[in-house]
Amino acid sequence: MENTYKIKGGKKLKGEIVLAGAKNVSTKVMIASLLADSKSVLENIPRIGDVEITKEICEALGAKCQWLDKNVLEIDPTTINNFKVPLEYSGKNRTPILFFGPLIHRFQKAEVPFLGGCTIGERPVDFHLNAYEQMGAKIECLEGAYRVEAKGLKGTIIRLPYPSVGATENIIMGAVLAEGTTVIENAAIEPEIEDLALFLQSMGAIIYQDVNRTWIIKGVKKLKGSYYRIINDRIEAASFASLALANGGDILVKGIDQRYILTFLNWVRKVGGDFELRKDGIRFYTTNNLHSAIVETDVHPGFMTDWQQPFSIVLTQANGVSIIHETVYENRFGYVEALNKMGANIQLTTHCLGSKPCRFTNRDYYHSAIITGPTKLHGTKLEVPDLRAGFAYLMAALIAQGESEITNIDKVERGYENIKERLLNLGAEIS
Ligand code: EPU
């Protein structure tokens, strides 16, 4: 059966795993390469569903994309001849809206379909639309798509209501070729955005990172294609580290950069796990029983919202009562019901169980979780609701007694390269 894994749980996983390139950089640099007037060569691009969708969109616009090697993608934007991202890409992932910049600079207009991606909250795009209007674009909603028109984007000061990753990236990609200077205040500063900025800088863009979550972009007349190797995936890193802790295994995660998971590593120690820096990676293991912890997700440099789901499985195996306060997305605990059916003890509440300022206070969103552990999990049938929840389900199935069947596995493969083979290499029993 395609799109389904059968997993026999309970086996301790041991060995090495090599990180793939960062999913949340790969699609962005692909789109940014369309801002240039010559070819770019992008290295370390993971072969995942999201990259494939973005490549198809680039090709539908007329760009030529070619894999030069397994993870090396060449993009030639000089043949772009279409300003409309086809409607069939509506609902597939979050990237279509990021085509605003490249298309407006080329055609003074763009049409992009409404977005999809993981169902983890309302995920509006008001910050993107307001920012482009501030830069001088006119936006209308057609059936199923946004139409944006601008004779030329103009630099301005944009203050984001919340440090949104996508909105920051979208504004940067509009600003690099805009007239004048754009300042983005209260911007996101995730390492993935820095990586995008570094690629754009290599293409000829002028981008400063300033204090207090500020990006300053001085528009230039044109950008040229470049060679760029993107960073490795810090969400994968935390996912595999969590797997080692929850499973009582011992996993060397290769290609990890300690500085990108500084925050996560503190939580490894807080729950009683341990890590060892090696020349080529970080080894994660446990020597004692795990103990409970309080986790609050946040924008960078906080505990990433995308680490939350794998880490929740760790907490189901920890002694005592743990708390997760999710402050980035209002609806990112949809996956816990299935975990409870497997034997976990997770209670959700609308209360803010934490001390960080949170936009969801008194809004009736179930955004805090109380996890009591340790609990034995047993195998069951699971349907993957979204990417990170899907990885959490894989973890749960791998530590559970008995067999689990996980369907909708393409949602996991959308973000984790070759996941089955890599887990098999650690000794997992998956068919
Ligand atoms: N938001 C708005 N209005 C906007 C934009 C965002 O209210 O116009 C809100 C969102 O609803 C959310 C918060 O701001 O509550 C943060 O959203 P953000 O824009 O930062 O998220 P994103 O850019 O859509 C990226 C990653 C996510 C990751 C978040 C946060 C990509 C393709 N996606 O999403 O990754 O969780 O940043 O770090 O880069 C994943 O990889 O599984 C994933 C969901």
Side-chain angles (χ1 to χ4, degrees):
M1 229 182 315
E2 296 278 328
N3 212 12
T4 299
Y5 288 173
K6 280 200 171 137
I7 297 185
K8 225 169 170 190
K11 215 173 143 198
K12 288 209 188 313
L13 301 182
K14 292 201 162 88
E16 301 177 354
I17 203 151
V18 182
L19 287 187
K23 166 178 102 69
N24 291 344
V25 179
S26 54
T27 51
K28 321 296 172 64
V29 292
M30 290 169 70
I31 298 168
S33 74
L34 306 189
L35 289 159
D37 55 13
S38 55
K39 285 180 196 170
S40 288
V41 174
L42 306 169
E43 211 174 282
N44 203 25
I45 304 296
R47 300 298 280 262
I48 51 174
D50 258 14
V51 164
E52 200 42 52
I53 292 169
T54 309
K55 176 172 166 284
E56 278 178 23
I57 297 177
C58 293
E59 286 169 341
L61 296 175
K64 288 200 184 102
C65 304
Q66 195 191 348
W67 289 105
L68 301 182
D69 205 344
K70 183 171 165 263
N71 298 109
V72 184
L73 183 63
E74 180 185 79
I75 301 187
D76 180 354
T78 56
T79 46
I80 292 182
N81 54 11
N82 177 11
F83 66 94
K84 292 184 185 178
V85 173
L87 268 183
E88 65 192 86
Y89 292 99
S90 172
K92 291 219 168 150
N93 70 7
R94 309 287 302 161
T95 58
I97 201 155
L98 300 178
F99 285 86
F100 273 5
L103 292 175
I104 292 173
H105 287 304
R106 213 169 273 264
F107 300 105
Q108 286 76 55
K109 58 190 172 189
E111 266 184 42
V112 306
F114 297 154
L115 302 192
C118 295
T119 43
I120 50 181
E122 286 172 26
R123 306 190 82 180
V125 289
D126 49 332
F127 305 166
H128 301 246
L129 303 181
N130 291 342
Y132 269 78
E133 279 177 342
Q134 275 185 262
M135 288 195 280
K138 290 212 162 34
I139 302 177
E140 52 173 326
C141 277
L142 310 175
E143 208 171 311
Y146 302 102
R147 185 182 171 95
V148 197
E149 282 193 39
K151 285 251 150 53
L153 295 172
K154 291 204 170 50
T156 183
I157 298 176
I158 297 164
R159 185 166 180 84
L160 289 176
Y162 183 78
S164 152
V165 169
T168 303
E169 292 164 337
N170 208 352
I171 300 167
I172 290 177
M173 286 201 267
V176 282
L177 287 174
E179 186 190 323
T181 301
T182 304
V183 179
I184 318 173
E185 296 174 348
N186 198 31
I189 50 166
E190 269 64 5
E192 290 77 12
I193 303 177
E194 280 178 11
D195 216 33
L196 171 67
L198 292 174
F199 173 53
L200 287 164
Q201 185 181 53
S202 74
M203 296 165 73
I206 300 175
I207 305 183
Y208 300 84
Q209 194 173 13
D210 210 349
V211 294
N212 297 333
R213 298 192 162 277
T214 303
W215 291 98
I216 301 171
I217 303 108
K218 307 236 174 222
V220 294
K221 290 254 174 317
K222 58 186 203 156
L223 297 173
K224 58 181 176 355
S226 175
Y227 158 85
Y228 194 73
R229 182 183 172 85
I230 69 165
I231 54 172
N232 283 344
D233 198 308
R234 67 191 174 115
I235 309 177
E236 272 205 359
S239 304
F240 297 132
S242 297
L243 177 59
L245 301 188
N247 172 263
D250 190 326
I251 302 178
L252 172 64
V253 182
K254 286 180 142 180
I256 203 168
D257 190 330
Q258 186 190 2
R259 81 195 69 212
Y260 296 140
I261 56 161
L262 174 145
T263 303
F264 181 80
L265 292 174
N266 292 331
W267 263 269
V268 170
R269 291 252 169 84
K270 274 190 192 186
V271 294
D274 212 346
F275 64 89
E276 176 199 7
L277 292 193
R278 292 274 187 92
K279 200 171 142 208
D280 50 355
I282 303 181
R283 178 184 151 231
F284 293 91
Y285 60 98
T286 52
T287 44
N288 299 306
N289 289 339
L290 297 174
H291 39 83
S292 58
I294 295 173
V295 180
E296 290 186 86
T297 66
D298 207 346
V299 293
H300 189 71
F303 191 99
M304 282 186 95
T305 170
D306 307 287
W307 295 337
Q308 182 254 99
Q309 305 76 354
F311 205 69
S312 71
I313 307 295
V314 178
L315 297 177
T316 66
Q317 303 308 302
N319 248 303
V321 178
S322 295
I323 286 170
I324 303 180
H325 180 212
E326 167 64 57
T327 75
V328 180
Y329 288 109
E330 70 276 20
N331 182 20
R332 219 171 180 181
F333 282 118
Y335 65 99
V336 304
E337 197 183 325
L339 295 179
N340 282 342
K341 287 194 183 137
M342 293 177 80
N345 181 350
I346 307 176
Q347 197 189 326
L348 297 183
T349 168
T350 56
H351 287 275
C352 288
L353 297 184
S355 52
K356 283 188 185 282
C358 170
R359 293 166 296 146
F360 313 135
T361 312
N362 295 326
R363 301 274 312 277
D364 296 333
Y365 294 123
Y366 284 90
H367 69 291
S368 293
I370 305 163
I371 305 178
T372 308
T375 43
K376 282 203 164 62
L377 305 182
H378 48 79
T380 188
K381 285 195 172 173
L382 295 157
E383 186 181 329
V384 174
D386 67 75
L387 171 59
R388 306 300 164 193
F391 191 86
Y393 285 180
L394 281 182
M395 285 177 62
L398 287 165
I399 61 176
Q401 292 301 319
E403 194 173 272
S404 296
E405 189 179 294
I406 309 187
T407 54
N408 264 358
I409 209 74
D410 59 320
K411 290 198 172 158
V412 179
E413 291 171 346
R414 225 191 81 204
Y416 292 88
E417 188 179 52
N418 255 337
I419 188 65
K420 187 171 158 194
E421 287 68 25
R422 290 200 282 169
L423 292 174
L424 287 174
N425 281 341
L426 294 174
E429 287 187 50
I430 308 177
S431 57

